[in-house]
Amino acid sequence: MHFPSDAFPADLPLDAYDVVIPCYDRAHVVADAVESVLAQSPAPARVIVVDDGSRDGSADVIRALAAAHPGRVEAAILPRNGGASNARNVGAALCPSPWTAFLDSDDVWLPGAAHALLHGALASGADIIVGHFSRVEPGEAPGAPECGWDGGCIRAGLISGGVIGPSWSIVRRETVFDIAGFDPSFHNCNDWDFYTRAAANGAVFARIDATVAQYRTVAGSRLVNDHAQGMENARRVLAHPYLLD
């Protein structure tokens, strides 16, 4: 989606949004995620990169990024691995801006992502804005734009699966804290659980047509490959009263 330059309010506050990037053993790609955010217009008030007890050189890369971009990038280095939910919550606690985005460290925002997401927020008055993403497999060109949610009934969408990803959405700050952030007991399906609890709490969702992120499959361990745990966590999400009504 393309928005003309005059479609975005000139008086948008400089601290309109922050970005949280949780990182675990992604020393080889985390700089890509950070740079893709710093290149946005409007720029974020701050980028919080949370190292979740990585075993590789991620912490050093993150410290170097913070040193290279003082006042724009902040490093939060955790002493041990606590999972993506905890890392996102740590980052969110450092973000005072009205909107928070959660970009995974192996994904990147596309040019115009922040503009499209914030325009969607202002135009809709919603609490969570959802864009599209392109899937990128190693050595292959980006796939066609995808969005698991059709933009209709959010409850029906969430019943069908984890249809929204942090990397291609932005959330009102109050919404994050109203539901106490991400549940650390979920080591996968944590985003599905987060959006389900937000919807149950009355958050309003809106979808935009813009492709705002690349979802990249990169080398490294992935908890989502634990199928047994994933099935158990999916069962837990689907047992939420909001999805059972």
Side-chain angles (χ1 to χ4, degrees):
M1 175 182 285
H2 170 73
F3 293 108
S5 59
D6 61 354
F8 206 81
D11 60 350
L12 182 79
L14 295 177
D15 62 346
Y17 76 106
D18 301 314
V19 179
V20 174
I21 302 178
C23 179
Y24 180 65
D25 287 356
R26 289 293 184 266
H28 54 309
V29 292
V30 65
D32 295 342
V34 172
E35 296 295 345
S36 77
V37 171
L38 294 177
Q40 297 295 315
S41 179
R46 60 193 56 76
V47 182
I48 310 294
V49 192
V50 184
D51 182 70
D52 190 24
S54 294
R55 302 162 299 179
D56 65 357
S58 293
D60 291 337
V61 172
I62 293 167
R63 290 189 184 97
L65 287 165
H69 303 282
R72 302 185 68 196
V73 177
E74 299 178 23
I77 310 300
L78 304 184
R80 62 185 63 84
N81 178 251
S85 292
N86 179 68
R88 290 188 184 117
N89 291 342
V90 168
L94 300 173
C95 294
S97 296
W99 292 89
T100 306
F102 298 96
L103 177 65
D104 287 347
S105 57
D106 43 4
D107 298 337
V108 294
W109 265 4
L110 295 172
H115 185 273
L117 289 166
L118 290 169
H119 182 279
L122 293 173
S124 68
D127 304 300
I128 297 177
I129 311 301
V130 183
H132 290 60
F133 69 94
S134 291
R135 195 179 304 270
V136 182
E137 302 291 345
E140 298 183 11
E146 300 180 42
C147 184
W149 177 44
D150 64 5
C153 174
I154 186 59
R155 179 175 174 272
L158 291 166
I159 288 173
S160 72
V163 294
I164 302 172
S167 292
W168 49 94
S169 60
I170 194 166
V171 185
R172 199 181 295 274
R173 182 180 186 273
E174 302 97 276
T175 299
V176 177
F177 288 93
D178 283 349
I179 61 170
F182 292 80
D183 185 344
S185 73
F186 281 87
H187 291 289
N188 47 26
C189 298
N190 49 66
D191 45 3
W192 186 8
D193 168 75
F194 173 82
Y195 296 113
T196 296
R197 289 186 292 108
N201 196 54
V204 176
F205 290 67
R207 197 186 81 160
I208 60 174
D209 292 334
T211 303
V212 298
Q214 287 186 345
Y215 174 78
R216 306 196 299 175
T217 302
V218 301
S221 60
R222 283 181 176 268
L223 286 170
V224 293
N225 290 333
D226 186 341
H227 297 296
Q229 187 62 58
M231 291 180 64
E232 171 60 19
N233 285 339
R235 183 197 64 76
R236 290 175 60 197
V237 176
L238 290 169
H240 192 286
Y242 175 74
L243 302 183
L244 292 175
D245 289 344

